[in-house]
């Protein structure tokens, strides 16, 4: 083979390679994000071991929110410990903060502890509170707090054993649209729903609800001390999906001091089996150049 021929073959191959790579990048830029296609949580965290999974749960992106503030705690009396509980971190940085006196909160899992809901109402938010386990019907607790005897889940159903009425986030939002508007964003969605989070979060992600409607998400996540590594991997991958596919930025991770146990996958080492995580939706984090942000300033700055 002549030197000339070789030169041309290499040149053409290089050009084809460059074109392929750049058209793929261009394609990714112009294509809208497909939630279902990338929803593959099995693959993502398959490589994690028990310690890495726990490190990931405890990790937080500490610079992502400068003003992370707790809304509403009470003091819970445990067996060995009295500890604050019921509070949730909300990011009050100016481009993502709920607007004082003009904000919407969904609060799932009340268990007769209203401290978070009351604190958000004090901030001037309309608060919709949900709990199917309290044995009371729908009522307005105040002008700002509206209670529904409903649970959040991955599907619309009546729970077979408890007979609780369960709904998906979209179903609840559509039900409430006449009260709070058809296009209003949820400033903070709070969840403390005793393992139902693992059904509800993937559903909210797949259906686009998280991306389109939720500005901040605050969740108490739960594990069983005897959960298998497979189960822990599934939990981790659901959270990773919130952060990758969902483009949510985690700004707070804090263990619940009342929920600690000998965890099987850690060879019965004491670890937390309940953690409070909080994220904001980076899509709604307005940049300084964005004119929309002018109406969204947190009023104290
Ligand atoms: C941390 O937060 C910043 C926003 O403050 C974000 O740009 C960055 O991607 C986040 N990093 C990770 C690893 O989540
Ligand atoms: C695991 O722990 C849960 C909660 O403590 C318990 O209900 C369940 O029976 C346990 N499962 C096994 C297989 O030990
Ligand atoms: C913001 O609005 C002003 C006038 O309303 C306009 O001149 C300016 O170009 C806008 N800036 C951006 C980044 O859209």
């Amino acid at each position: 083979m002549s030197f000339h021929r070789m030169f041309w073959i290499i040149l053409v191959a290089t050009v084809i390679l460059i074109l392929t790579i750049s058209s793929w990048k261009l394609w990714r830029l112009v294509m809208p994000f497909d939630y279902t296609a990338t929803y593959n949580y099995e693959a993502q965290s398959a490589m994690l071991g028990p310690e890495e999974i726990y490190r990931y749960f405890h990790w937080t992106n500490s610079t992502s929110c400068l003003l992370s503030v707790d809304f509403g705690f009470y003091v819970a009396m445990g067996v060995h410990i009295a500890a604050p509980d019921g509070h949730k971190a909300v990011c009050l940085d100016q481009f993502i903060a709920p607007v004082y006196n003009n904000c919407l909160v969904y609060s799932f899992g009340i268990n007769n502890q209203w401290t978070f809901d009351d604190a958000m109402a004090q901030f001037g938010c309309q608060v919709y509170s949900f709990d199917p386990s309290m044995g009371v019907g729908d009522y307005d607790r105040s002008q700002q707090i509206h209670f529904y005897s409903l649970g959040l889940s991955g599907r619309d159903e009546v729970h077979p054993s408890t007979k609780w009425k369960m709904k998906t986030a979209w179903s609840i939002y559509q039900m409430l649209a006449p009260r709070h508007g058809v296009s209003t964003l949820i400033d903070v969605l709070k969840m403390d729903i005793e393992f139902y989070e693992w059904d509800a979060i993937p559903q909210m992600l797949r259906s686009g609800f998280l991306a389109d409607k939720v500005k901040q998400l605050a969740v108490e996540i739960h594990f069983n001390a005897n959960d298998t590594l497979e189960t822990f991997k599934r939990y981790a991958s659901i959270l990773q999906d919130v952060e990758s596919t969902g483009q949510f930025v985690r700004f707070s991770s804090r263990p619940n001091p009342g929920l600690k146990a000998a965890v099987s996958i850690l060879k019965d080492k004491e670890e937390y089996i309940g953690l409070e995580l909080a994220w904001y939706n980076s899509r709604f984090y307005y940049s300084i150049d964005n004119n929309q942000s002018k109406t969204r300033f947190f009023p104290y700055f």
Side-chain angles (χ1 to χ4, degrees), residues 92 102 108 161 185 263:
L92 295 186
N102 182 20
F108 293 101
S161 53
L185 296 177
V263 173

PDB file of all heavy atoms in Angstrom, residues 92 102 108 161 185 263:
ATOM      1  N   LEU A  92     -33.687  28.732  51.024  1.00  0.00           N
ATOM      2  CA  LEU A  92     -34.206  30.089  50.889  1.00  0.00           C
ATOM      3  C   LEU A  92     -33.279  30.980  50.056  1.00  0.00           C
ATOM      4  O   LEU A  92     -33.399  32.203  50.102  1.00  0.00           O
ATOM      5  CB  LEU A  92     -34.441  30.711  52.276  1.00  0.00           C
ATOM      6  CG  LEU A  92     -35.518  30.033  53.132  1.00  0.00           C
ATOM      7  CD1 LEU A  92     -35.762  30.814  54.421  1.00  0.00           C
ATOM      8  CD2 LEU A  92     -36.828  29.884  52.367  1.00  0.00           C
ATOM      9  N   ASN A 102     -46.907  33.915  48.897  1.00  0.00           N
ATOM     10  CA  ASN A 102     -47.420  33.503  47.591  1.00  0.00           C
ATOM     11  C   ASN A 102     -46.758  32.176  47.224  1.00  0.00           C
ATOM     12  O   ASN A 102     -45.980  32.105  46.281  1.00  0.00           O
ATOM     13  CB  ASN A 102     -47.129  34.588  46.552  1.00  0.00           C
ATOM     14  CG  ASN A 102     -47.690  34.214  45.196  1.00  0.00           C
ATOM     15  OD1 ASN A 102     -48.590  33.372  45.098  1.00  0.00           O
ATOM     16  ND2 ASN A 102     -47.155  34.812  44.150  1.00  0.00           N
ATOM     17  N   PHE A 108     -47.065  15.477  52.648  1.00  0.00           N
ATOM     18  CA  PHE A 108     -47.581  14.108  52.736  1.00  0.00           C
ATOM     19  C   PHE A 108     -47.072  13.419  54.004  1.00  0.00           C
ATOM     20  O   PHE A 108     -45.861  13.361  54.228  1.00  0.00           O
ATOM     21  CB  PHE A 108     -47.143  13.295  51.514  1.00  0.00           C
ATOM     22  CG  PHE A 108     -47.773  13.777  50.230  1.00  0.00           C
ATOM     23  CD1 PHE A 108     -47.054  14.581  49.354  1.00  0.00           C
ATOM     24  CD2 PHE A 108     -49.079  13.434  49.918  1.00  0.00           C
ATOM     25  CE1 PHE A 108     -47.638  15.030  48.177  1.00  0.00           C
ATOM     26  CE2 PHE A 108     -49.661  13.881  48.737  1.00  0.00           C
ATOM     27  CZ  PHE A 108     -48.943  14.677  47.861  1.00  0.00           C
ATOM     28  N   SER A 161     -55.338  -3.893  52.386  1.00  0.00           N
ATOM     29  CA  SER A 161     -55.571  -4.246  53.792  1.00  0.00           C
ATOM     30  C   SER A 161     -56.031  -3.053  54.632  1.00  0.00           C
ATOM     31  O   SER A 161     -56.974  -3.164  55.413  1.00  0.00           O
ATOM     32  CB  SER A 161     -54.328  -4.902  54.400  1.00  0.00           C
ATOM     33  OG  SER A 161     -53.206  -4.089  54.197  1.00  0.00           O
ATOM     34  N   LEU A 185     -46.901  26.084  40.419  1.00  0.00           N
ATOM     35  CA  LEU A 185     -45.807  25.197  40.819  1.00  0.00           C
ATOM     36  C   LEU A 185     -45.900  24.929  42.322  1.00  0.00           C
ATOM     37  O   LEU A 185     -46.353  25.776  43.088  1.00  0.00           O
ATOM     38  CB  LEU A 185     -44.457  25.852  40.518  1.00  0.00           C
ATOM     39  CG  LEU A 185     -44.144  26.104  39.048  1.00  0.00           C
ATOM     40  CD1 LEU A 185     -42.801  26.819  38.929  1.00  0.00           C
ATOM     41  CD2 LEU A 185     -44.118  24.795  38.272  1.00  0.00           C
ATOM     42  N   VAL A 263     -27.590  -2.672  61.290  1.00  0.00           N
ATOM     43  CA  VAL A 263     -27.968  -2.876  59.889  1.00  0.00           C
ATOM     44  C   VAL A 263     -27.280  -4.123  59.334  1.00  0.00           C
ATOM     45  O   VAL A 263     -26.058  -4.240  59.388  1.00  0.00           O
ATOM     46  CB  VAL A 263     -27.585  -1.619  59.062  1.00  0.00           C
ATOM     47  CG1 VAL A 263     -27.799  -1.859  57.577  1.00  0.00           C
ATOM     48  CG2 VAL A 263     -28.392  -0.412  59.528  1.00  0.00           C
TER      49      VAL A 263
END
